[in-house]
Amino acid sequence: MQSGDAVLDTMPKLLARNVKKFGNSPAFREKDLGIWQSWNWNQANEQIMFLAKGLIELGVREGDHVAVIGRNRPYLYWSLLAAQHIGAVPVPLYQDAVADEMEYILTHCNATFAIVGDQEQVDKIQDIWP
């Protein structure tokens, strides 16, 4: 996929293109307690960059595998993009996976960090932590 002379071969490159091209246009929407919440491309990018900087501060480095476990919400996708932005490898898992299923995936990908959406996911990871 190309845009002008730039090759858009990563999600962070597509995000940067969309921020530049669509800036204040709606990018993400979700209904929370019956009320629609919206984020434009600039706002979403700002949140993704904050998260990417936070991951770096926590010690996530290029090539690290980062588990991302949560509901189908904008924050989940922002976590995937933030990990990719710093060169880490996001490893999405279903939120309804049981701890044993998660253990198999997390062990085989050597995930060193996890971004989770709620306490239930934290509890599952703590149950399988070596």
Side-chain angles (χ1 to χ4, degrees):
M1 185 182 305
Q2 293 189 10
S3 173
D5 295 327
V7 176
L8 301 174
D9 57 354
T10 67
M11 294 301 288
K13 287 180 184 178
L14 285 168
L15 173 64
R17 190 271 322 255
N18 287 356
V19 169
K20 184 177 180 180
K21 190 172 180 179
F22 303 114
N24 290 319
S25 297
F28 292 89
R29 295 186 76 209
E30 83 166 315
K31 203 173 211 180
D32 185 28
L33 301 174
I35 301 170
W36 281 102
Q37 306 296 317
S38 295
W39 295 267
N40 64 38
W41 287 101
N42 290 324
Q43 292 167 324
N45 186 62
E46 181 178 48
Q47 294 302 310
I48 292 163
M49 293 304 116
F50 284 149
L51 182 53
K53 290 174 186 176
L55 292 172
I56 291 169
E57 282 290 316
L58 290 170
V60 178
R61 300 291 175 247
E62 185 174 345
D64 284 347
H65 288 76
V66 178
V68 179
I69 312 161
R71 298 181 324 141
N72 184 13
R73 298 290 180 251
Y75 301 109
L76 174 87
Y77 298 103
W78 298 348
S79 299
L80 297 170
L81 280 163
Q84 289 176 337
H85 187 76
I86 62 175
V89 179
V91 180
L93 288 100
Y94 291 113
Q95 74 171 13
D96 58 353
V98 296
D100 289 342
E101 294 169 338
M102 290 173 60
E103 181 178 27
Y104 178 83
I105 295 167
L106 296 175
T107 300
H108 283 80
C109 77
N110 294 318
T112 52
F113 293 88
I115 300 171
V116 299
D118 57 34
Q119 187 62 45
E120 180 183 355
Q121 307 314 317
V122 172
D123 294 344
K124 287 190 268 186
I125 289 176
Q126 287 180 332
D127 286 345
I128 61 175
W129 204 258

